[in-house]
Every structure is written in C-alpha cells, then in structure tokens.
Amino acid sequence: MAKLRTDPNLTDPDGFYEALITAQEGLPAAAADQLKARLILLLANHIGDDETLREAVALAREGLEKKSR
Amino acid sequence: MSYQYKHHGWQPCPEARDETVRHKAIIVGGGPVGLTTALELAAYGVPSVVLEDGDTVSEGSRGLCWSKRTLEILDRHGVAEQVRARGYTWHTGRLFHGDREIYHFDLQAVAGEKFPAFVNLQQYYTEEFLVDAVARQPLIDHRWQSKVVDVAPGNDCVAVEVETPAGRYRAEADWLVAADGTRSAARRALGLKFDGSTFEDCFLIADLKVHAALPNADRRFWFHPSFHPGDTALCHKQGDDMWRVDFQLGADIDREAEKDPARVIARAQKMLGPHPMTVEWVSIYTFQGRRLERLRHGRVLFAGDAAHQVSPFGARGGNSGIQDAENLAWKLAYVIRGKAPDRLLDSYDAERGEAADENILLTSRSTRFLTPKTAAERVFRDAVLDLAGEHPFARALVNSGRLSTATIHRRSPLNGGDGGFAGGVAVGGPCPNLPAPAATGSHLLDSLGRRFQLLCFADGAPAPAALVELDDDIEPILVTRGAARSQGAPQSLADPDGRLHDAFAAQPGTCYLLRPDQHVAARWRRFDADAVKSARDRALGY
C-alpha cells in the first residue's frame, strides 16, 4: 500500500459516523444499497487517482473471502 | 427485402481443368475483410485468389457502423465516398435513462478531417462496393460458389480443397489468409482453439424499413426505457430509410417467438412510433469475447471474425477486421516481393493481437455494464445511471459501448524511437487525415503512398541536403507553413493554418517516419539519415 491513507485522517470521526448512519435511517434495503453505491461513486470521483482507488478496493475486500467460505 | 441482390455464378478456373497453379496468396472468405485484403495486396502489385462460399453479398445488414479509420482504408480503393453517399453520417451518441436524455457524447474530435467518426451503412452495400472495386482490379481472381472444405498447411506451401457446383479441386498458394468469419473453416481445419467468454443475455437485432419520413437521428441508447422496461435498447439510422434496432431480452427467452415479425414490429413501434414498417432482417445473438491465441500459423494468417470475435456494442467487429486486412496486406506484400524477412509477419500477430485484446477488453467491460450478473452489480450500475443525469463525473462511467477508434500499436516490435515528444501522433498510431492541399488530393492521407515516407516539417527552410541520402525506398515529404512548392522533388504539402504542425506537435526539423499503412514508425526532433534508415529496417522486421 503506497498511496492509500490508512492513518487517522477524519476531522470529526464521531460526527462523520453519525451522519453516515443517519443517512440510511428509514430507507428500505434497496434504497440503502443505492445510497452506499452513490456514496462510493461520489467519493471515488473526489479521490480520482486510480492507484489509490484500486488499493482501497483491494483493502476493502481483504479477509472477506475467507469469511464467506 | 428491398435490396436487390446480384447473384454471381461459379466460373471455370485453371485448377478445375486440372492445371496446377501456384498462387502467391489465397484469401478464404469474400466478406469485407477478405475483399479489403485482396484490394490492399493488389495495390502493392500482389495478385491473389478470393474464395467465397456464397454467390452474393451479406444476408441482412450485420456490420453497420463503419468507423473513420475504416473509411480512410476504403478510400484508398475508391469505396469510402460510395459508402458515405449511400449511408448515414453521424458523430453523436445520445444516452437515455428511462425516457430522459441524460447526456450525449460527440465522437468528432478533430475539425477538418476528411471522414466523419462513423457512417452507418448496411453490410451488403459496403460489400457490393468492394465487389465492384475487386472486379476493376485485374490482379484479383474472385471466385464465387467456392467453398473451402479443407486446408493443408505445409512448410513451403498451403493447399486448400475447394468445393464448387462443378465438383472439387485442389488449389495451392505460398500464403493463405483466412478471413472466413466466426465459423471459419480454415480455423477448424487447423484444429485451433477459439477461446474466451460467452455472456448469457440474448439480444434481438433487426433491420426495419420504416414507411414514413422519420427525422434523422444519430446513435440512441436507452437504459430502462418505458417502451422496453428493465432492459436496454439501441437504435441506429442506416441508408435507405432503414433503421437498426436492438433490444436486450434476457437469458430465458423463446428465440423463435421473439423473431416473429409482428412481435418485432410491435416492439419497434413502441420505440420509433406507430408507423408502418417491414422487417428486413432479424436475428438473436449472445455476446462472445474470444480470439485465437495466435493470428499467424506459419503460412496461414487469420483476420477478422475468423481470428477474434467481440460483442457488437462499440462497432469493433467489422472495423477491426478491416484494420487487420490493412495491417496484414503490406507486410505480406513486402515479404512476397522479397523486400522484408518472413519475420515481419510475426508483427501482424503482435500488432493485431494487441488490437484484438483491446477490443475484447473494452467490449467485455461494456457487456458487464449492460448485463449486470448479480444484484450487487445492478446496484452500482443503477447508481451510475442515477448520478449521470445530474453529475458529469458519472457520465464517464456509463458504458453503452466504447466506439471503435483506430488502434495505436503501442507495444509493437516494429516501433522505433518516440523522440521525447509531448503530444503529436504517437509511434504506432495512424496519421490524422487533416487538410493538406496538394496535387494528389485535399487531405494528408491522399498524399501518402504505399511505401515508407518521411514527413519533414521544414517550416520554410530548405530541405536538409542529407534528405537526398535516403535510399529510394524512403520518400521525403516536406510540410511547410507557406504555400506548397508546385513541382519537383521532394513532394511538398502546404499547411497554411498550421493544423498539421499542431497535430504532429511539430517544430522546425521534426521528422516522422511513416509506414506503408500510414502509421507512424518513429519520430525525431532532428533529421538523421542513419537513424531514419535504421528505424525503417526495424519497421520491416530486420
């Protein structure tokens, strides 16, 4: 991992987490899925750099394969 | 069918009279790729025999969108203007989500180029024009109703077994070009694997003659339209008030029921309006993305659909096949004439194999966007479509097909130095067909011959004396900002508005070495005769 920041970088961690959870309140599962997908796309565009994004995708997937099997 | 098919009968040939002839080249398949290969070879003075199974041109329109690069190649045979005159010229693609247009893209990148991004024309017309061009070319022996049933490659010759209405004969050639389509008999005869991926969704494709004056329209693509809920639809205008429609139908369908003309018309009327229309051709297809591992097998060279198959979204089938033909023909001609080593033909596999990989990659990505396989894939696809209406960034993610552009052979073994340029025409890429008035024509490609040429941006200065040191096989062409010199060698091209200079990122002294197929072999900021000759040798496989 060279470009993706994984050190603490959020200016207001608790506030951000609350906003993230609150945004999904009251949404049916399908709409909540849409929210997550839109959020990922918006943030991905903000980051822009392909190498950083691919590192994030790889890191997000890490460990999941073992659990699902 | 409104198109009048001309039928061509089998004609006696020397082999049928038991005469043995050793041909330079036999081309299996008389479709656009085979015919272009024959025309290109003839332009280099190489005779060939074209063996075509059928007795007429393509049934149904099939290949439809002819790209700028294809038109440039066809223009070398006088066919491009016929295609343009008969067809529908376009450069805009409109994308709809539901019934709302979310954005459009414009494929016309460079103003002033001779040909547009695309001309839509039914394949039977394009083939007819090629057939006529072949008939005007005495070096081509075009044999109809001649079905190749076996291919036997040898060390110094290739033999084919040909079935005709008058019986079978055996023909021999130094080289064989297999351009006989997705079900290639040559590929089967050699027992070659044709591997890749197959997608499950079925698509309905139809050509409709609409008996009403519909307004012109460039490419239109819908996701989830109200006239075809839940799936995608595509519409193209063709020549002769013919319209191409394409509907995604899903995996589990009744193919025969879907091809019923009344049902096709009912679907199309919801898209195009309640006009009277006739189904001219209908088919159901699934996506394939596959290729031969190698395009060259000794003396047998595979081109077009025989070599690689892609999904039609992006117009990368026919257009890549025509580019295969162009890429192969000059190399084969140089080898046949003893002006290049046999090894040059390996670069056909390298360059067009790279193109096939690119086409398969891009069409497979489009296919995954059109046909989400899982609920999770669909969530992202729909999120992209929702965002694209309001946010330009998401439009870049909408993939209804990435339309064919000329391949730049970036990793070609033939490429020479790239000379530290920022911009310009990349080594391995084709020259832009910008205005360049000269006795030979109106645009740059009109002035390029079937040989190596050195474009020299002299900017009014006299040509370097060393230009004359170049051997006869490399012709210098001067490009000047002022008026072109009217006569004498070297040939000169005028670039009064500087468009060629800009496109080539040229400074005084800049030189581009061009291959016979109008692609850049190498480029320099300063002329150096030895470097030019050495790059030419490299581009010939030495």
Side-chain angles (χ1 to χ4, degrees):
Chain A
M1 295 296 167
K3 298 191 85 175
L4 180 71
R5 288 192 66 165
T6 52
D7 60 313
N9 189 40
L10 294 166
T11 48
D12 178 9
D14 289 350
F16 163 70
Y17 189 78
E18 183 184 21
L20 187 63
I21 299 305
T22 307
Q24 304 183 58
E25 272 176 17
L27 289 181
D33 281 346
Q34 278 297 304
L35 174 87
K36 280 177 270 189
R38 288 186 201 195
L39 189 58
I40 289 166
L41 294 167
L42 285 160
L43 295 174
N45 182 64
H46 182 81
I47 293 162
D49 179 68
D50 191 59
E51 209 178 319
T52 310
L53 290 170
R54 284 172 191 265
E55 284 178 20
V57 169
L59 186 60
R61 195 187 157 119
E62 221 168 71
L64 294 177
E65 278 153 295
K66 285 171 206 149
K67 281 178 196 165
S68 66
R69 272 173 203 166
Chain B
M1 192 80 202
S2 56
Y3 177 76
Q4 293 299 311
Y5 280 91
K6 268 182 261 175
H7 294 274
H8 306 263
W10 180 75
Q11 299 286 326
C13 58
E15 286 91 343
R17 294 187 293 268
D18 289 332
E19 294 169 29
T20 303
V21 189
R22 172 70 84 84
H23 301 287
K24 293 287 183 206
I26 286 178
I27 296 162
V28 187
V33 179
L35 296 177
T36 303
T37 306
L39 287 167
E40 285 282 312
L41 283 175
Y44 291 98
V46 173
S48 65
V49 176
V50 177
L51 299 174
E52 165 58 32
D53 178 4
D55 70 347
T56 189
V57 294
S58 162
E59 185 210 344
S61 88
R62 296 163 67 199
L64 161 65
C65 305
W66 306 100
S67 73
K68 180 170 71 185
R69 184 63 198 149
T70 290
L71 294 166
E72 289 165 359
I73 294 167
L74 297 182
D75 196 35
R76 301 184 105 181
H77 306 287
V79 170
E81 294 299 351
Q82 286 178 289
V83 170
R84 171 156 42 193
R86 258 289 169 187
Y88 177 72
T89 293
W90 66 276
H91 54 88
T92 307
R94 298 192 181 281
L95 270 295
F96 298 83
H97 184 206
D99 297 333
R100 174 188 173 210
E101 181 178 330
I102 47 176
Y103 75 100
H104 68 271
F105 55 81
D106 189 342
L107 300 165
Q108 194 73 327
V110 186
E113 284 194 275
K114 186 170 180 181
F115 291 105
F118 284 97
V119 173
N120 286 352
L121 184 65
Q122 299 90 307
Q123 184 168 326
Y124 42 76
Y125 276 121
T126 307
E127 280 187 25
E128 176 192 317
F129 302 148
L130 286 166
V131 166
D132 291 346
V134 162
R136 293 191 295 270
Q137 176 48 265
L139 289 174
I140 305 172
D141 180 354
H142 191 180
R143 301 182 185 175
W144 300 88
Q145 294 188 293
S146 302
K147 180 185 173 124
V148 170
V149 290
D150 195 24
V151 174
N155 285 335
D156 54 3
C157 155
V158 187
V160 293
E161 190 74 17
V162 187
E163 195 174 84
T164 76
R168 286 192 176 199
Y169 66 82
R170 179 187 155 94
E172 291 180 357
D174 293 346
W175 301 94
L176 186 103
V177 178
D180 50 348
T182 52
R183 287 184 287 274
S184 171
R187 199 181 59 223
R188 254 183 290 126
L190 268 62
L192 302 175
K193 282 197 296 185
F194 197 43
D195 284 344
S197 45
T198 301
F199 296 83
E200 286 182 353
D201 270 46
C202 293
F203 287 75
L204 174 77
I205 190 166
D207 285 345
L208 297 151
K209 182 100 177 172
V210 178
H211 308 286
L214 295 187
N216 284 342
D218 287 8
R219 183 184 197 260
R220 288 176 290 173
F221 194 99
W222 290 266
F223 292 94
H224 308 312
S226 63
F227 61 79
H228 187 57
D231 283 314
T232 66
L234 171 67
C235 179
H236 271 294
K237 181 175 166 59
Q238 313 181 49
D240 291 352
D241 292 320
M242 194 79 77
W243 294 76
R244 161 70 57 83
V245 295
D246 190 305
F247 293 95
Q248 184 179 16
L249 297 182
D252 296 314
I253 59 154
D254 179 343
R255 285 176 169 244
E256 288 315 305
E258 290 295 350
K259 289 201 293 197
D260 176 39
R263 192 174 174 116
V264 173
I265 287 172
R267 284 192 189 281
Q269 283 179 332
K270 285 197 224 166
M271 175 198 276
L272 295 168
H275 311 290
M277 48 184 82
T278 320
V279 176
E280 297 267 334
W281 174 69
V282 60
S283 178
I284 293 201
Y285 68 93
T286 53
F287 290 147
Q288 318 279 332
R290 50 187 181 167
R291 59 165 287 188
L292 284 175
E293 192 183 347
R294 285 181 292 127
L295 307 190
R296 177 180 185 192
H297 289 263
R299 294 183 167 271
V300 181
L301 299 126
F302 289 85
D305 287 350
H308 41 73
Q309 202 183 347
V310 295
S311 95
F313 289 97
R316 290 172 178 272
N319 291 308
S320 68
I322 301 268
Q323 289 175 72
D324 286 350
E326 183 203 35
N327 189 287
L328 175 57
W330 77 266
K331 294 171 180 174
L332 196 49
Y334 270 68
V335 170
I336 286 172
R337 290 159 61 194
K339 297 178 91 179
D342 172 284
R343 183 164 67 242
L344 177 61
L345 290 168
D346 292 336
S347 76
Y348 167 69
D349 173 66
E351 293 188 339
R352 296 311 300 170
E354 184 182 353
D357 287 342
E358 179 179 290
N359 289 324
I360 289 169
L361 175 71
L362 295 182
T363 53
S364 298
R365 285 173 171 175
S366 301
T367 303
R368 287 195 78 173
F369 193 86
L370 299 186
T371 61
K373 283 203 289 282
T374 62
E377 273 189 47
R378 189 171 285 276
V379 164
F380 276 102
R381 204 278 297 271
D382 290 345
V384 165
L385 291 170
D386 276 341
L387 290 170
E390 308 303 326
H391 303 288
F393 87 85
R395 294 170 193 163
L397 295 166
V398 176
N399 192 341
S400 73
R402 301 295 181 214
L403 284 138
S404 175
T405 52
T407 307
I408 300 169
H409 306 299
R410 295 185 193 280
R411 292 190 294 276
S412 172
L414 305 187
N415 288 353
D418 202 17
F421 282 63
V425 182
V427 170
C431 290
N433 203 8
L434 289 166
T440 38
S442 57
H443 287 71
L444 175 61
L445 300 187
D446 299 332
S447 294
L448 300 185
R450 296 185 171 278
R451 56 194 302 192
F452 281 84
Q453 290 173 310
L454 189 72
L455 269 190
C456 305
F457 292 83
D459 214 10
L467 272 184
V468 299
E469 289 172 21
L470 289 174
D471 51 68
D472 292 342
D473 289 338
I474 306 174
E475 181 199 359
I477 300 177
L478 299 182
V479 184
T480 63
R481 287 186 190 272
R485 287 182 307 139
S486 54
Q487 53 193 2
Q491 183 186 177
S492 93
L493 296 175
D495 184 28
D497 56 9
R499 272 195 278 202
L500 284 178
H501 279 76
D502 291 347
F504 284 86
Q507 298 163 2
T510 293
C511 299
Y512 277 73
L513 179 65
L514 309 182
R515 314 188 327 190
D517 62 355
Q518 309 172 333
H519 282 63
V520 174
R523 55 182 179 173
W524 302 268
R525 282 298 181 200
R526 191 164 297 281
F527 172 77
D528 174 338
D530 289 338
V532 171
K533 286 181 202 168
S534 140
R536 187 275 317 272
D537 289 346
R538 183 187 176 95
L540 282 175
Y542 284 109

mmCIF file of all heavy atoms in Angstrom, chain B residues 458-478:
data_model
loop_
_atom_site.group_PDB
_atom_site.id
_atom_site.type_symbol
_atom_site.label_atom_id
_atom_site.label_comp_id
_atom_site.label_asym_id
_atom_site.label_seq_id
_atom_site.Cartn_x
_atom_site.Cartn_y
_atom_site.Cartn_z
ATOM 1 N N ALA B 458 9.656 21.330 -42.399
ATOM 2 C CA ALA B 458 10.821 22.156 -42.726
ATOM 3 C C ALA B 458 10.580 23.616 -42.366
ATOM 4 O O ALA B 458 11.523 24.382 -42.192
ATOM 5 C CB ALA B 458 11.123 22.028 -44.208
ATOM 6 N N ASP B 459 9.306 23.999 -42.286
ATOM 7 C CA ASP B 459 8.948 25.351 -41.902
ATOM 8 C C ASP B 459 9.622 26.412 -42.766
ATOM 9 O O ASP B 459 10.175 27.390 -42.268
ATOM 10 C CB ASP B 459 9.290 25.593 -40.432
ATOM 11 C CG ASP B 459 8.263 26.531 -39.797
ATOM 12 O OD1 ASP B 459 7.231 26.810 -40.451
ATOM 13 O OD2 ASP B 459 8.500 26.971 -38.672
ATOM 14 N N GLY B 460 9.593 26.228 -44.064
ATOM 15 C CA GLY B 460 10.107 27.222 -44.977
ATOM 16 C C GLY B 460 11.587 27.104 -45.259
ATOM 17 O O GLY B 460 12.075 27.609 -46.262
ATOM 18 N N ALA B 461 12.313 26.443 -44.361
ATOM 19 C CA ALA B 461 13.751 26.281 -44.588
ATOM 20 C C ALA B 461 13.977 25.282 -45.717
ATOM 21 O O ALA B 461 13.134 24.435 -45.952
ATOM 22 C CB ALA B 461 14.411 25.786 -43.308
ATOM 23 N N PRO B 462 15.095 25.392 -46.378
ATOM 24 C CA PRO B 462 15.354 24.395 -47.416
ATOM 25 C C PRO B 462 15.474 23.008 -46.803
ATOM 26 O O PRO B 462 15.876 22.856 -45.651
ATOM 27 C CB PRO B 462 16.681 24.862 -48.033
ATOM 28 C CG PRO B 462 17.191 25.959 -47.189
ATOM 29 C CD PRO B 462 16.147 26.388 -46.230
ATOM 30 N N ALA B 463 15.142 22.012 -47.572
ATOM 31 C CA ALA B 463 15.226 20.645 -47.070
ATOM 32 C C ALA B 463 16.667 20.313 -46.746
ATOM 33 O O ALA B 463 17.576 20.744 -47.445
ATOM 34 C CB ALA B 463 14.705 19.694 -48.140
ATOM 35 N N PRO B 464 16.884 19.551 -45.672
ATOM 36 C CA PRO B 464 18.267 19.157 -45.372
ATOM 37 C C PRO B 464 18.863 18.434 -46.571
ATOM 38 O O PRO B 464 18.204 17.607 -47.188
ATOM 39 C CB PRO B 464 18.113 18.205 -44.182
ATOM 40 C CG PRO B 464 16.747 18.438 -43.641
ATOM 41 C CD PRO B 464 15.911 18.978 -44.757
ATOM 42 N N ALA B 465 20.095 18.815 -46.899
ATOM 43 C CA ALA B 465 20.745 18.196 -48.054
ATOM 44 C C ALA B 465 20.798 16.688 -47.888
ATOM 45 O O ALA B 465 20.713 15.936 -48.855
ATOM 46 C CB ALA B 465 22.146 18.762 -48.218
ATOM 47 N N ALA B 466 20.878 16.249 -46.626
ATOM 48 C CA ALA B 466 21.025 14.814 -46.380
ATOM 49 C C ALA B 466 19.771 14.025 -46.760
ATOM 50 O O ALA B 466 19.820 12.809 -46.850
ATOM 51 C CB ALA B 466 21.360 14.577 -44.919
ATOM 52 N N LEU B 467 18.643 14.732 -46.954
ATOM 53 C CA LEU B 467 17.429 14.014 -47.359
ATOM 54 C C LEU B 467 17.687 13.184 -48.610
ATOM 55 O O LEU B 467 17.136 12.110 -48.780
ATOM 56 C CB LEU B 467 16.291 14.993 -47.643
ATOM 57 C CG LEU B 467 15.402 15.420 -46.479
ATOM 58 C CD1 LEU B 467 14.294 16.312 -47.000
ATOM 59 C CD2 LEU B 467 14.841 14.238 -45.728
ATOM 60 N N VAL B 468 18.516 13.729 -49.491
ATOM 61 C CA VAL B 468 18.767 13.008 -50.739
ATOM 62 C C VAL B 468 19.605 11.753 -50.500
ATOM 63 O O VAL B 468 19.674 10.883 -51.355
ATOM 64 C CB VAL B 468 19.461 13.909 -51.791
ATOM 65 C CG1 VAL B 468 18.590 15.096 -52.138
ATOM 66 C CG2 VAL B 468 20.824 14.360 -51.278
ATOM 67 N N GLU B 469 20.205 11.669 -49.301
ATOM 68 C CA GLU B 469 20.969 10.462 -48.990
ATOM 69 C C GLU B 469 20.070 9.280 -48.679
ATOM 70 O O GLU B 469 20.500 8.144 -48.624
ATOM 71 C CB GLU B 469 21.877 10.689 -47.781
ATOM 72 C CG GLU B 469 23.049 11.618 -48.062
ATOM 73 C CD GLU B 469 23.777 11.940 -46.775
ATOM 74 O OE1 GLU B 469 23.647 11.184 -45.797
ATOM 75 O OE2 GLU B 469 24.465 12.973 -46.749
ATOM 76 N N LEU B 470 18.805 9.566 -48.389
ATOM 77 C CA LEU B 470 17.877 8.475 -48.107
ATOM 78 C C LEU B 470 17.791 7.606 -49.353
ATOM 79 O O LEU B 470 17.792 8.096 -50.466
ATOM 80 C CB LEU B 470 16.490 9.027 -47.770
ATOM 81 C CG LEU B 470 16.383 9.729 -46.422
ATOM 82 C CD1 LEU B 470 15.022 10.364 -46.271
ATOM 83 C CD2 LEU B 470 16.634 8.758 -45.287
ATOM 84 N N ASP B 471 17.697 6.308 -49.141
ATOM 85 C CA ASP B 471 17.650 5.462 -50.325
ATOM 86 C C ASP B 471 16.276 5.561 -50.983
ATOM 87 O O ASP B 471 15.355 6.189 -50.472
ATOM 88 C CB ASP B 471 18.052 4.023 -49.993
ATOM 89 C CG ASP B 471 17.285 3.463 -48.829
ATOM 90 O OD1 ASP B 471 16.083 3.267 -48.992
ATOM 91 O OD2 ASP B 471 17.886 3.256 -47.756
ATOM 92 N N ASP B 472 16.146 4.922 -52.115
ATOM 93 C CA ASP B 472 14.941 5.070 -52.920
ATOM 94 C C ASP B 472 13.679 4.571 -52.216
ATOM 95 O O ASP B 472 12.580 4.887 -52.628
ATOM 96 C CB ASP B 472 15.103 4.292 -54.234
ATOM 97 C CG ASP B 472 16.161 4.937 -55.109
ATOM 98 O OD1 ASP B 472 16.488 6.108 -54.854
ATOM 99 O OD2 ASP B 472 16.649 4.260 -56.029
ATOM 100 N N ASP B 473 13.854 3.775 -51.176
ATOM 101 C CA ASP B 473 12.686 3.186 -50.537
ATOM 102 C C ASP B 473 12.031 4.104 -49.514
ATOM 103 O O ASP B 473 10.999 3.770 -48.945
ATOM 104 C CB ASP B 473 13.060 1.865 -49.846
ATOM 105 C CG ASP B 473 13.359 0.791 -50.885
ATOM 106 O OD1 ASP B 473 12.892 0.941 -52.025
ATOM 107 O OD2 ASP B 473 14.061 -0.172 -50.548
ATOM 108 N N ILE B 474 12.637 5.236 -49.214
ATOM 109 C CA ILE B 474 12.018 6.183 -48.285
ATOM 110 C C ILE B 474 11.844 7.508 -49.013
ATOM 111 O O ILE B 474 12.822 8.150 -49.389
ATOM 112 C CB ILE B 474 12.880 6.414 -47.022
ATOM 113 C CG1 ILE B 474 13.222 5.075 -46.357
ATOM 114 C CG2 ILE B 474 12.139 7.323 -46.045
ATOM 115 C CD1 ILE B 474 14.189 5.215 -45.193
ATOM 116 N N GLU B 475 10.610 7.909 -49.180
ATOM 117 C CA GLU B 475 10.363 9.158 -49.911
ATOM 118 C C GLU B 475 10.139 10.298 -48.921
ATOM 119 O O GLU B 475 9.263 10.207 -48.059
ATOM 120 C CB GLU B 475 9.114 8.992 -50.776
ATOM 121 C CG GLU B 475 8.804 10.241 -51.587
ATOM 122 C CD GLU B 475 7.370 10.268 -52.085
ATOM 123 O OE1 GLU B 475 6.616 9.316 -51.815
ATOM 124 O OE2 GLU B 475 7.008 11.258 -52.719
ATOM 125 N N PRO B 476 10.922 11.382 -49.017
ATOM 126 C CA PRO B 476 10.661 12.513 -48.124
ATOM 127 C C PRO B 476 9.472 13.354 -48.621
ATOM 128 O O PRO B 476 9.276 13.496 -49.827
ATOM 129 C CB PRO B 476 11.952 13.325 -48.186
ATOM 130 C CG PRO B 476 12.685 12.863 -49.389
ATOM 131 C CD PRO B 476 12.075 11.593 -49.887
ATOM 132 N N ILE B 477 8.695 13.872 -47.677
ATOM 133 C CA ILE B 477 7.612 14.812 -47.996
ATOM 134 C C ILE B 477 7.802 16.020 -47.086
ATOM 135 O O ILE B 477 7.848 15.866 -45.858
ATOM 136 C CB ILE B 477 6.219 14.201 -47.721
ATOM 137 C CG1 ILE B 477 5.996 12.932 -48.569
ATOM 138 C CG2 ILE B 477 5.126 15.213 -48.002
ATOM 139 C CD1 ILE B 477 4.671 12.249 -48.281
ATOM 140 N N LEU B 478 7.924 17.201 -47.676
ATOM 141 C CA LEU B 478 8.096 18.403 -46.864
ATOM 142 C C LEU B 478 6.735 18.989 -46.512
ATOM 143 O O LEU B 478 5.842 19.043 -47.352
ATOM 144 C CB LEU B 478 8.895 19.457 -47.638
ATOM 145 C CG LEU B 478 10.310 19.077 -48.051
ATOM 146 C CD1 LEU B 478 10.976 20.248 -48.766
ATOM 147 C CD2 LEU B 478 11.128 18.674 -46.827
#
